[in-house]
Amino acid sequence: TPKMEQKLRSQTKFNRRQSIEERAHGDIKYKSEKKKSKVLNALAETTSIKMEKRFMYEFEQLCEIDCQDENVTNKDRFKYLFTSKGFKLDDPRIKDIIDVVDELEEDQDIDFDIFKELIRPISTFFRDILQNNLSLKDIESFSKSTREIFEKHNLEAPKGSMAKYLSETSNANQDDFAASICTVDGQRIELGSSDSLVSLQQISSVVSYLIALEQHGQESLSKYIGTEPSGKSFDNLELKEGIPHNPLISSGNLLCCSLINQKETIDRKYEKYAKVVEKMIGAKVSFNNSVYLNQKERAHRNFCLLYMLEEAGTLPEDADVKEIMNFFTQTTSIEMKVSDYSVMAATLANGGICPLTDENVFSDSEAIKGTLSQMLCCGMNTFSGKWAFDVGLPAKSSTTGMTILVIPNKMGIAVWSPRLNKDSNSVRGQKFLCELIDTFGFNDIDHVYGAGLMKKMLVNLSFKGTHNNDSINLLYYAKQNKLREMRKAVAQG
């Protein structure tokens, strides 16, 4: 529509002008405003010519895309370019642009002028897709192999039992199975019932610990919470020298909730907490009131843990046990899709930057590092030690049957199946993740020792090209002030 087109044009013009002004100002001192204006105009003209040439080249590449259809249009090619690389058309970065394409007249195709206006706001992102400068370069082969692993475990006779105390699992189909993958670039793979809604429950401990770390720092937080695996069930009635063993068990999660936004009212606490989760997944969350009421009714064990913490003098001064419990139960009752959990994990893999919005949700890199370390050694309940030995990657499970896995600098994975084993982990979820990691060799320790690498599938997850090209890329990203790409390039060596 004209309104949307005007919005795209004005935003692009502002961004381009701002970039030119930043280049012109620098450390240069001008004799007069007239001279400065002349330099700005010259820079604008030069930049415009360069952009025009680059857009023409990219438009020619778009027109050459083969969609295996004789009647294909540039509109079809434009959408196909994103979907073929694993990007969903409702991705926040391209949703408005796709809406503009959909609103074009039926007999109107994307010509060069329309193409320029469409890609200006996402020019760098679009160029990375065209050049296949992405985390998963051959996403088709990766998706096929991942689907085969998924189907293999989906066909197996289901084992394990449901968590009886959770109302949502008692009403769920015990044979449900879903998996979702999101790379740090935002490429997506979804298998099974990935649109199913699942409440946070124990996975809320990851978010709570991250927020507490950002607000208080590791040194201050270590006075309240340990960092050791407990070796016992997540809700065990035991403290270590008056403090929880680690932040990912129930007592640790409760204590984190007592430290988050301490001066705020409980409604503001929840509002801010939910906002953080929404930033992590790049989408809205919902609240499951029936889960909340059910959890409040069965909160006896958690109340016991809180009173143990209060007796040990570990809770903050003037802390209200009932208010802490109320807030804690609210956080565990936040509900989102299985596919959203993979984006949450990808945000952790991406150093706290949401891959779908490029928003820096957690600016403290030490908070991310500390959380991932705890997920590695304490995230899989009483199976945590064996998990760290066999898989060697950060993960967190929940009694809903949800498990999230973080592959730093690469991707986040979520898998959901309600049947649990004796360690309170998803039976099929745990098997699926173990086989997936073993198949593709994502464990960095394997690369150090070369353990069975010849038997593993080779998946290129880093930049192609020589070290010289990598250095040039890094300098280019620095010039463009693209922190996300710089961090990724450095992380890839």
Side-chain angles (χ1 to χ4, degrees), residues 86-95 122 125 180-190 278-284 339-344 346-347 350 352-361 484:
F87 296 98
K88 298 179 71 174
L89 296 181
D90 63 354
D91 187 306
R93 293 167 293 183
I94 62 173
K95 185 179 182 302
I122 56 165
F125 178 49
S180 178
I181 296 172
C182 178
T183 71
V184 294
D185 291 314
Q187 294 167 284
R188 313 281 292 277
I189 298 171
E190 295 177 5
E278 288 177 344
K279 287 180 179 179
M280 290 183 77
I281 67 174
K284 294 292 183 183
S339 55
D340 292 330
Y341 281 92
S342 66
V343 182
M344 173 185 279
T347 297
N350 201 27
I353 301 172
C354 177
L356 302 187
T357 62
D358 287 335
E359 182 174 1
N360 197 347
V361 187
R484 176 174 169 273

Side-chain angles (χ1 to χ4, degrees), residues 88 101 153 219 238 252 331 349 428 446 463 493:
K88 298 179 71 174
V101 173
H153 292 287
E219 187 176 346
E238 184 180 337
T331 64
R428 283 193 294 194
D446 280 353
F463 291 117

Side-chain angles (χ1 to χ4, degrees), residues 21 69 98 121 182 234 282 285 288 304 332 360 389 397 419 446:
E21 287 179 355
D69 187 349
I98 297 299
C182 178
F234 64 92
V285 298
N288 192 321
C304 183
T332 61
N360 197 347
F389 182 83
S397 65
R419 286 177 175 266
D446 280 353

Side-chain angles (χ1 to χ4, degrees), residues 121-150:
I122 56 165
S123 57
T124 304
F125 178 49
F126 189 82
R127 186 168 64 254
D128 284 342
I129 295 173
L130 273 178
Q131 296 175 355
N132 201 23
N133 189 17
L134 303 167
S135 297
L136 286 174
K137 298 185 183 298
D138 187 4
I139 193 168
E140 187 176 344
S141 299
F142 181 82
S143 299
K144 182 181 177 183
S145 300
T146 303
R147 187 175 293 278
E148 288 172 358
I149 297 171
F150 179 85

Side-chain angles (χ1 to χ4, degrees), residues 106-123:
E106 191 173 340
D107 59 347
Q108 184 182 12
D109 202 3
I110 297 176
D111 59 19
F112 179 58
D113 291 329
I114 295 175
F115 174 78
K116 285 191 298 182
E117 299 309 317
L118 286 174
I119 72 163
R120 279 188 201 277
I122 56 165
S123 57

Side-chain angles (χ1 to χ4, degrees), residues 198-380:
V198 184
S199 65
L200 276 179
Q201 296 304 322
Q202 287 80 13
I203 292 177
S204 66
S205 62
V206 174
V207 184
S208 300
Y209 187 51
L210 272 167
I211 298 173
L213 275 175
E214 281 234 316
Q215 292 183 359
H216 299 278
Q218 178 57 51
E219 187 176 346
S220 176
L221 210 58
S222 62
K223 300 173 185 176
Y224 297 94
I225 306 171
T227 53
E228 299 288 338
S230 69
K232 298 179 180 178
S233 64
F234 64 92
D235 59 352
N236 189 54
L237 300 176
E238 184 180 337
L239 300 176
K240 182 184 178 182
E241 298 176 359
I243 64 173
H245 286 79
N246 64 74
L248 303 187
I249 55 178
S250 295
S251 56
N253 195 359
L254 285 162
L255 195 48
C256 283
C257 286
S258 73
L259 296 168
I260 294 172
N261 299 317
Q262 290 172 272
K263 297 180 180 180
E264 300 284 359
T265 58
I266 189 167
D267 57 320
R268 286 288 293 155
K269 279 186 181 182
Y270 172 77
E271 186 181 329
K272 288 187 173 184
Y273 190 98
K275 196 69 178 174
V276 170
V277 177
E278 288 177 344
K279 287 180 179 179
M280 290 183 77
I281 67 174
K284 294 292 183 183
V285 298
S286 55
F287 182 81
N288 192 321
N289 195 52
S290 62
V291 169
Y292 170 71
L293 294 174
N294 178 263
Q295 293 281 87
K296 280 190 72 176
E297 191 177 323
R298 298 167 178 259
H300 312 301
R301 196 173 188 85
N302 286 332
F303 266 120
C304 183
L305 286 169
L306 274 174
Y307 285 123
M308 286 172 64
L309 290 168
E310 187 178 44
E311 183 186 32
T314 311
L315 290 179
E317 291 183 14
D318 303 325
D320 187 320
V321 168
K322 290 184 179 179
E323 187 175 299
I324 295 169
M325 179 58 69
N326 199 5
F327 175 57
F328 165 81
T329 311
Q330 285 179 334
T331 64
T332 61
S333 303
I334 290 174
E335 197 173 56
M336 55 194 194
K337 295 177 182 178
V338 175
S339 55
D340 292 330
Y341 281 92
S342 66
V343 182
M344 173 185 279
T347 297
L348 296 175
N350 201 27
I353 301 172
C354 177
L356 302 187
T357 62
D358 287 335
E359 182 174 1
N360 197 347
V361 187
F362 298 101
S363 56
D364 185 359
S365 59
E366 289 300 313
I368 298 292
K369 176 187 172 184
T371 302
L372 293 181
S373 298
Q374 289 298 284
M375 290 173 68
L376 172 62
C377 64
C378 311
M380 297 295 282

